[in-house]
Amino acid sequence: MFPFFKRLCLILLAGGLLAGPTWAAEDPVPVEGDFIARNFRFASGEVLPELKLHYRTLGKPRRDASGRVSNAVLIMHGTGGTGGQFIRPEFSGELFGPGALLDADRYYLILPDGIGHGASSKPSDGLRAGFPRYGYEDMVRAQHLLVTEGLQVDHLRLVMGTSMGGMHTWLWGQRYPDFMDALMPLASLPTQIAGRNRLWRRVVIDAIRNDPAWQGGNYKRQPPSLGTASEMLMLMSSNPVLRQQQWPTLAAADAAIAAAVASGEKNSDANDTLYALESSRDYDPNPGLERIKAPLLAVNSADDLINPPELGLLEQQIKRVPRGRAIVIPLSPATRGHGSHTVATLWKEALATLLADSGR
């Protein structure tokens, strides 16, 4: 799952892959808020007078004897997602409850919506194609402002993220190397977007930009090219074994695709999707891997079509991270392709080890 969350959950629901996002009775309830970064200057030189960053928090910050926050955890979502995607049984139900690894009674959990996503400032709010061309560097800097100025947190016990959020985790480690005790990027690679990963993104980007109905971003109804985005997401998410089980006939596959395209047109926006995919253009943590000081555990899965293990890039690059380690979860009936990043039972033992090894 490469989570264009509001839309992709509906796409995956159509395919029977996920249960709907729910707040079960035992789940901790997040507190939501907004932080306004004034006169935010993007790397492009564009300035937004008010950049709104929406967030959810669970728990309360605690300070150690020196006065530094000691229990804050930053968790970042994937492309098209929101912080709300983590409040679901397979993630929060495994990690945030009483006695769990990230028990909300012990930790201060921060779940932001990145620039261009969820209830944070995004093109569909009104500026459309006039919205600043944000990149991953802008998103990480804005997250840092939210944490430090908005929430008054001066240290993070753990930084982790899934997919795009995993890529942001690599950047956090080298941009703010003394700010955290541990890092856990999931479903990501510490290298520039290239090869097939760039190709599938370009398919969607080019489909939207070359669609006459896009009208330079000033469409009155969603352009048909948004359907291409839904189809590409279905192609890149999950794994072939599950897809064949879910759609064992041509008719079943066609019905799922049609439902996904209809859901995308109803629940998503072409400009938001375009910007979100284009934002990865400046991602390149490769030159700064040696600057990462905190213990880092990277977790990928063997059935991830977006970050396939046969590339060998994770194993090669992790050697350059001073306290880095990487694991690749084998294909099993429990893995979900790229979406394995949100199934905490697959990797929570590794998280437990990371927390223990990085404890202060």
Side-chain angles (χ1 to χ4, degrees):
M1 180 177 63
F2 196 84
F4 281 66
F5 184 70
K6 186 175 181 181
R7 173 159 54 95
L8 184 53
C9 277
L10 292 170
I11 292 173
L12 297 179
L13 278 167
L17 178 57
L18 292 179
T22 59
W23 277 258
E26 63 273 16
D27 285 338
V29 178
V31 175
E32 301 195 33
D34 295 312
F35 168 67
I36 304 298
R38 303 195 183 280
N39 297 315
F40 185 88
R41 181 175 294 275
F42 293 79
S44 65
E46 299 168 280
V47 176
L48 202 60
E50 292 189 349
L51 174 68
K52 182 177 74 169
L53 296 169
H54 189 71
Y55 62 88
R56 296 161 182 81
T57 61
L58 299 100
K60 296 180 180 179
R62 296 176 183 171
R63 297 185 180 273
D64 59 21
S66 68
R68 186 172 69 168
V69 174
S70 60
N71 69 331
V73 175
L74 176 66
I75 307 177
M76 298 169 289
H77 62 77
T79 305
T82 75
Q85 72 186 56
F86 298 115
I87 310 298
R88 53 187 314 113
E90 61 267 35
F91 197 94
S92 63
E94 295 289 335
L95 298 176
F96 296 172
L101 285 175
L102 299 178
D103 184 340
D105 287 334
R106 296 176 52 214
Y107 289 97
Y108 182 48
L109 308 171
I110 305 168
L111 315 175
D113 292 352
I115 297 175
H117 294 70
S120 292
S121 296
K122 56 187 180 296
S124 62
D125 290 340
L127 289 178
R128 298 189 173 195
F131 194 83
R133 296 282 167 189
Y134 66 87
Y136 280 11
E137 295 287 351
D138 296 314
M139 299 179 81
V140 168
R141 187 163 59 87
Q143 291 159 359
H144 186 260
L145 285 174
L146 165 64
V147 169
T148 56
E149 296 185 11
L151 299 175
Q152 301 296 303
V153 169
D154 55 5
H155 187 78
L156 291 167
R157 176 66 181 88
L158 171 68
V159 176
M160 65 184 296
T162 61
S163 194
M164 178 183 72
M167 291 187 272
H168 289 177
T169 301
W170 292 100
L171 295 178
W172 263 88
Q174 56 189 259
R175 298 294 182 265
Y176 312 105
D178 298 311
F179 201 82
M180 73 288 295
D181 295 330
L183 298 146
M184 188 173 186
L186 293 125
S188 64
L189 291 173
T191 189
Q192 199 174 46
I193 301 295
R196 187 173 63 190
N197 198 356
R198 179 58 175 167
L199 174 61
W200 81 265
R201 295 165 191 263
R202 276 292 302 271
V203 168
V204 178
I205 290 168
D206 292 349
I208 294 174
R209 286 201 172 276
N210 295 326
D211 187 345
W214 181 59
Q215 298 180 7
N218 295 313
Y219 45 86
K220 290 182 170 56
R221 58 175 298 176
Q222 296 299 329
S225 51
L226 190 57
T228 302
S230 299
E231 292 170 347
M232 286 303 300
L233 288 167
M234 295 183 78
L235 174 64
M236 300 304 295
S237 64
S238 188
N239 65 46
V241 176
L242 285 173
R243 287 293 189 234
Q244 189 66 28
Q245 291 172 352
Q246 294 155 4
W247 312 324
T249 66
L250 183 147
D254 281 352
I257 294 169
V261 170
S263 174
E265 182 176 354
K266 180 180 179 182
N267 295 286
S268 191
D269 179 81
N271 284 331
D272 290 348
T273 300
L274 175 66
Y275 270 70
L277 287 173
E278 288 187 333
S279 67
S280 64
R281 67 189 177 278
D282 68 347
Y283 174 67
D284 189 9
N286 187 50
L289 293 177
E290 286 84 1
R291 294 200 299 268
I292 299 174
K293 295 181 180 180
L296 181 148
L297 174 60
V299 179
N300 283 0
S301 60
D303 56 346
D304 185 348
L305 188 60
I306 292 175
N307 304 296
E310 56 266 31
L311 296 178
L313 291 171
L314 181 61
E315 294 80 0
Q316 175 186 345
Q317 301 290 41
I318 198 65
K319 298 175 184 177
R320 296 174 49 206
V321 181
R323 303 173 70 184
R325 189 165 67 90
I327 61 173
V328 176
I329 302 167
L331 170 70
S332 76
T335 56
R336 294 292 181 268
H338 192 64
S340 299
H341 58 53
T342 311
V343 185
T345 55
L346 294 171
W347 43 260
K348 68 179 183 179
E349 288 186 12
L351 173 58
T353 300
L354 175 65
L355 290 172
D357 291 346
S358 61
R360 291 185 290 113

